[in-house]
Amino acid sequence: MDKIIIKGLKFFAFHGVNPEEKEQGQDFIFDIELYVNMQRACESDNVEDTVSYAKVVKTVRRVFTAEKYDLLEKCARVVADAILDEYERVFMVDVTLKKPNAPVSAEFDYMAVNIVRDRLQS
């Protein structure tokens, strides 16, 4: 199965359950896998025959920073839905959203959610 991988995509945003998270903001990190049939692009060598990861990054930034959400689950779902809505060549998307500075009193690398959606689930 062919896929485009966007790993470690970082944005500063204002999501979280606690009021200070919505006021002060923090970094969030995405790992995104786009499942795409790349046969045509492999033959043509033309970006029009695939999905531009640069355009996907712009979409993710736009929808992720447009509003403030409480839950990572909601943020990841909004991003997954936007990708499926805007890129018809993507038939499935796997979005992992990491919150490395979650307000939890313990040592950790990050907290995260993972959402996988396809055209039938969106």
Side-chain angles (χ1 to χ4, degrees):
M1 188 170 295
D2 304 333
K3 60 184 168 179
I4 295 169
I5 301 169
I6 302 170
K7 191 169 180 92
L9 180 63
K10 186 186 292 187
F11 294 114
F12 189 86
F14 299 88
H15 305 297
V17 174
N18 300 313
E20 61 271 12
E21 293 179 283
K22 287 190 176 67
E23 294 166 9
Q24 297 170 5
Q26 61 190 294
D27 287 327
F28 296 86
I29 302 168
F30 284 94
D31 291 338
I32 302 171
E33 295 184 0
L34 310 170
Y35 292 80
V36 179
N37 183 335
M38 294 185 196
Q39 183 64 37
R40 181 179 279 173
C42 290
E43 293 170 2
S44 72
D45 195 29
N46 185 331
V47 71
E48 297 301 320
D49 292 330
T50 188
V51 176
S52 166
Y53 46 80
K55 289 181 180 178
V56 171
V57 168
K58 288 179 184 178
T59 297
V60 174
R61 177 183 287 120
R62 178 176 44 79
V63 301
F64 183 64
T65 60
E67 295 186 38
K68 297 178 182 181
Y69 298 109
D70 288 346
L71 301 179
L72 291 179
E73 293 84 344
K74 176 69 173 185
C75 297
R77 178 63 189 260
V78 165
V79 167
D81 287 348
I83 291 169
L84 289 174
D85 288 346
E86 295 182 27
Y87 302 93
E88 66 183 32
R89 291 188 186 277
V90 176
F91 59 87
M92 187 169 75
V93 62
D94 183 329
V95 176
T96 299
L97 177 54
K98 302 173 186 176
K99 189 174 183 179
N101 299 309
V104 175
S105 39
E107 190 171 324
F108 59 91
D109 289 335
Y110 57 82
M111 304 296 174
V113 298
N114 177 256
I115 294 207
V116 179
R117 292 289 180 268
D118 62 29
R119 296 215 166 269
L120 299 176
Q121 295 172 323
S122 63

